[in-house]
Amino acid sequence: MVRSYIATGINQINENQQYSIYPNPTTGITNIHLQPQSGFREIVITGTSGQIIYSKKTTQLNDVNVDLSALARGIYFIQFIDEQKQVKTDKLILY
């Protein structure tokens, strides 16, 4: 007997669950949820070369939807920048 399994996501573990990214991996639409107490003021998505693909100020936002469907499949990085300009970086996979 052969069993097949399909991966439906990568569980992201981050300090104090300040944010969540889902689905990840994604085919295009990605949802980003920020906890109100996270202190993040900007979200930036870059390619592996560092080119900025998406940038959004998040002063009053808790939920952000990003459409990446026009981009090439691959690995991208999402950065969360707080008031002190400290950056937390996570990986985003587009397949």
Side-chain angles (χ1 to χ4, degrees):
M1 178 193 296
V2 175
R3 292 186 184 192
S4 297
Y5 296 96
I6 297 174
T8 58
I10 299 171
N11 290 333
Q12 299 292 325
I13 300 173
N14 53 62
E15 302 104 35
N16 304 321
Q17 288 294 318
Q18 295 175 323
Y19 60 87
S20 58
I21 306 166
Y22 57 93
N24 188 15
T26 182
T27 57
I29 302 292
T30 299
N31 304 295
I32 302 164
H33 175 76
L34 301 175
Q35 293 295 335
Q37 70 276 14
S38 69
F40 295 126
R41 295 295 176 245
E42 187 174 6
I43 297 172
V44 177
I45 299 176
T46 63
T48 54
S49 66
Q51 177 185 8
I52 295 175
I53 295 164
Y54 176 88
S55 179
K56 179 129 183 142
K57 301 286 184 191
T58 60
T59 308
Q60 297 292 325
L61 301 176
N62 287 337
D63 294 296
V64 178
N65 299 319
V66 182
D67 185 359
L68 304 173
S69 59
L71 300 175
R73 295 178 184 176
I75 297 173
Y76 295 87
F77 297 99
I78 182 165
Q79 299 175 327
F80 299 92
I81 304 167
D82 69 12
E83 296 166 331
Q84 289 79 32
K85 302 293 183 190
Q86 294 180 347
V87 179
K88 291 189 186 269
T89 302
D90 217 324
K91 186 171 23 176
L92 182 60
I93 300 171
L94 181 62
Y95 71 96

